[in-house]
Amino acid sequence: NHEMNWQGMVETIGRAHYLPGRGASAALKCIKNVLHTHQVAFPQHCVDWENVVTEWAKEDTSPAIERNIPKFHRDAFKYLISFSISKRVKALGVVEWRKQIKDDVNELSWFLCYRKKSTELIYSKLARYEQLDQLREATSLLELALWKCSVDQDTEGECCRDKAKVDVCRIRCGA
């Protein structure tokens, strides 16, 4: 049972293909292929891409780094951010939040000096939306529970079972 070093592969591709002043197309294409292969053929190999990308952002923006070349071209880094959050973004229940996160990833500057702050901004905003999503779901469940209690306590049973009066019963239940 052998584990592939997916992080190492992506990092090696990023470094090997990064040429300052040139686009990221070759590196980006290779990185996309590696990540796609990881998802499709080796889903059991777990990699916490959020932590990996966060570390890469810290390393790239650290003043202690003696090299002048970042690990990834800004376009490749932007793709890595999108990849690392893709499942979490898809799980958000509000379409507008999904769109806003994707727009932020596309609009933020992924130049070397901004990587750490941009990465932190994306991850914290996504975490906030996930919390709001959980609250939204909990509120809906609470409303349904109160409504059910109201239906159960209704002695006549007519009001809450009559489709025409459902909204009135729902409001009356206190939810």
Side-chain angles (χ1 to χ4, degrees), residues 42-59:
F42 300 93
Q44 72 278 11
H45 293 182
C46 296
V47 178
D48 185 350
W49 288 110
E50 186 174 326
N51 280 338
V52 171
V53 171
T54 300
E55 279 304 309
W56 286 337
K58 285 179 189 173
E59 289 173 15

Side-chain angles (χ1 to χ4, degrees), residues 110-162:
W110 295 105
F111 289 104
L112 198 56
C113 58
Y114 300 113
R115 276 192 192 165
K116 184 177 178 225
K117 288 189 186 275
S118 294
T119 301
E120 290 168 351
L121 178 82
I122 293 293
Y123 290 148
S124 67
K125 191 172 197 176
L126 180 56
R128 186 173 62 235
Y129 285 158
E130 288 171 329
Q131 290 171 341
L132 291 172
D133 208 29
Q134 288 175 346
L135 286 172
R136 188 182 57 80
E137 289 177 22
T139 302
S140 295
L141 286 174
L142 179 60
E143 180 182 11
L144 288 171
L146 288 171
W147 192 12
K148 183 179 180 330
C149 286
S150 177
V151 170
D152 291 346
Q153 291 175 356
D154 187 6
T155 55
E156 296 173 18
E158 306 251 342
C159 172
C160 294
R161 289 184 180 84
D162 181 2

Side-chain angles (χ1 to χ4, degrees), residues 5 14-15 32-33 67 89 91 101 120-121 140 144 169 173:
N5 183 356
R15 284 188 184 187
K32 285 180 179 182
N33 286 335
R67 61 181 166 75
V89 170
I101 291 289
E120 290 168 351
L121 178 82
S140 295
L144 288 171
C169 183
C173 79

Side-chain angles (χ1 to χ4, degrees), residues 1-10 34 37-38 41-42 44-47 49:
N1 188 4
H2 181 61
E3 286 276 327
M4 302 274 228
N5 183 356
W6 298 102
Q7 176 183 345
M9 283 189 267
V10 171
V34 168
T37 302
H38 173 236
F42 300 93
Q44 72 278 11
H45 293 182
C46 296
V47 178
W49 288 110

Side-chain angles (χ1 to χ4, degrees), residues 22-37:
R22 295 185 58 194
S25 61
L28 185 54
K29 186 175 181 179
C30 289
I31 289 169
K32 285 180 179 182
N33 286 335
V34 168
L35 294 176
H36 177 74
T37 302

